[in-house]
Amino acid sequence: MTDLKEWIDNRGIKGEEYLGDLCKKNHGYLDTGKSVRCKPTNRPNGRCVCCRKENGDKSYKKNSEVVKARSVIWKKNNPEKASKSRTIWKRKKRRRDGCELRENITLWTAIKNAGAPSEFEKTLARITKNRTYDAKKNQRIKYRTNLEFNLYVKLKRGMQKAKDRGLPYEKIDIKDIINKIYLYNQCCAYCDTRLNLLIANQDNSLEMDHIVSFSNGGSHTFNNLMPSCKKCNHSKKANKLEDWYKQQTFFKKEVLEKIKQ
């Protein structure tokens, strides 16, 4: 159970998977109290990813020889698909290990053996330029699609601002921030509006508000951060929390006490 918990926490949410109701075996993701589920098909909730892996591992241990035999038969019947699948797996492994792609190595070897003709030099320069451009483009895509990376960038900016102003700061664990967001049910801590976790420049976009602002000597620490919508964060600005919150139409005394805790 511990290994499975560690596996799903490190793996994260992929593709069309989503956080759904906790499964019967209590396979929780981080400390959200929810399970990572596959895309629903013919039932209201998708299948729990941890349960699927657990059952798959058990089935493989019981019938490992049968599974291997089926795999060999499938490869013989589908040689093109098997070759393509193997190539994709090798590519992913090389990227994960930090190795260059085989196509690039082949090209560089050809350049070396051919005495580096001018056309090859131009092609190599173009590949290098495109690789640099793609890296930046991939980071922008990752910022818009990956919640953990999105929060990492926001927290890093806040820490740098506090450092430049000579204010207290600390390195904050992304998982703790995600837990705080889910503690407020993915809603703004102030107005209870449902937050859009990844899309920016909207009234309900997720922003991390400093309860005591930098202008008032606030710190960049976990206890001073609160998930809020863009509208509330920009409305509050450098005002003191209690003075600003009591002027709002959505003011609730119990919410203010919860935030102060």
Side-chain angles (χ1 to χ4, degrees):
M1 182 68 181
T2 309
D3 295 339
L4 202 60
K5 169 73 174 166
E6 187 177 343
W7 173 79
I8 192 63
D9 287 349
N10 293 331
R11 175 184 179 275
I13 302 171
K14 296 184 178 180
E16 295 182 336
E17 296 170 355
Y18 68 100
L19 283 175
D21 297 335
L22 195 65
C23 70
K24 293 180 180 179
K25 295 184 179 180
N26 297 324
H27 293 138
Y29 174 61
L30 300 177
D31 295 324
T32 58
K34 296 178 181 292
S35 297
V36 179
R37 292 183 175 271
C38 304
K39 181 184 177 183
T41 50
N42 57 349
R43 60 193 212 180
N45 283 324
R47 191 178 179 189
C48 172
V49 173
C50 293
C51 292
R52 187 182 65 179
K53 176 176 170 55
E54 194 174 41
N55 293 337
D57 291 347
K58 285 180 181 177
S59 176
Y60 182 79
K61 285 179 181 178
K62 286 182 181 178
N63 309 293
S64 58
E65 296 300 326
V66 176
V67 173
K68 289 176 183 177
R70 285 178 182 171
S71 176
V72 171
I73 294 168
W74 180 85
K75 286 177 183 177
K76 287 182 179 178
N77 294 336
N78 304 277
E80 291 182 2
K81 288 184 178 179
S83 176
K84 189 176 180 181
S85 175
R86 181 72 179 171
T87 303
I88 292 169
W89 180 83
K90 282 183 176 180
R91 279 172 174 268
K92 287 182 178 178
K93 186 176 184 301
R94 290 180 71 81
R95 285 173 184 167
R96 189 170 61 246
D97 296 342
C99 301
E100 284 291 347
L101 292 178
R102 189 170 294 280
E103 290 87 341
N104 294 351
I105 296 173
T106 305
L107 178 60
W108 295 335
T109 305
I111 291 170
K112 186 177 179 180
N113 294 337
S118 58
E119 281 299 318
F120 279 121
E121 286 178 357
K122 291 177 183 178
T123 307
L124 178 62
R126 189 164 61 250
I127 288 172
T128 307
K129 184 180 177 182
N130 289 341
R131 187 167 66 238
T132 306
Y133 171 76
D134 287 341
K136 292 178 181 178
K137 184 179 179 182
N138 289 339
Q139 274 204 337
R140 289 196 294 270
I141 293 171
K142 191 177 179 181
Y143 180 80
R144 294 196 296 267
T145 55
N146 186 305
L147 178 60
E148 289 188 13
F149 183 72
N150 185 293
L151 289 170
Y152 166 77
V153 173
K154 288 176 179 175
L155 292 174
K156 191 175 180 181
R157 286 176 190 161
M159 190 166 69
Q160 188 61 47
K161 285 181 181 178
K163 189 176 180 181
D164 292 342
R165 298 185 184 197
L167 298 171
Y169 64 90
E170 66 180 11
K171 189 175 181 181
I172 303 167
D173 192 348
I174 306 295
K175 292 179 181 179
D176 291 338
I177 292 293
I178 292 175
N179 290 342
K180 182 172 274 194
I181 291 169
Y182 284 108
L183 180 67
Y184 286 90
N185 299 318
Q186 301 179 47
C187 295
C188 173
Y190 304 127
C191 64
D192 205 35
T193 302
R194 187 74 173 179
L195 292 171
N196 197 325
L197 300 182
L198 290 171
I199 299 176
N201 300 323
Q202 293 186 358
D203 285 345
N204 66 333
S205 297
L206 169 66
E207 293 192 0
M208 297 309 298
D209 175 52
H210 293 84
I211 300 172
V212 181
S213 64
F214 287 159
S215 304
N216 295 324
S219 60
H220 181 74
T221 54
F222 176 74
N223 292 330
N224 196 37
L225 286 173
M226 197 60 61
S228 74
C229 62
K230 180 183 176 183
K231 189 175 181 181
C232 286
N233 193 18
H234 287 217
S235 170
K236 178 175 170 284
K237 295 183 180 178
N239 295 315
K240 291 185 178 179
L241 172 64
E242 194 165 346
D243 296 341
W244 169 80
Y245 191 53
K246 285 182 178 179
Q247 295 174 3
Q248 307 307 310
T249 55
F250 46 78
F251 169 73
K252 291 180 182 177
K253 188 176 179 181
E254 58 272 17
V255 174
L256 181 61
E257 290 175 355
K258 182 180 178 181
I259 293 169
K260 283 184 175 181
Q261 289 175 358

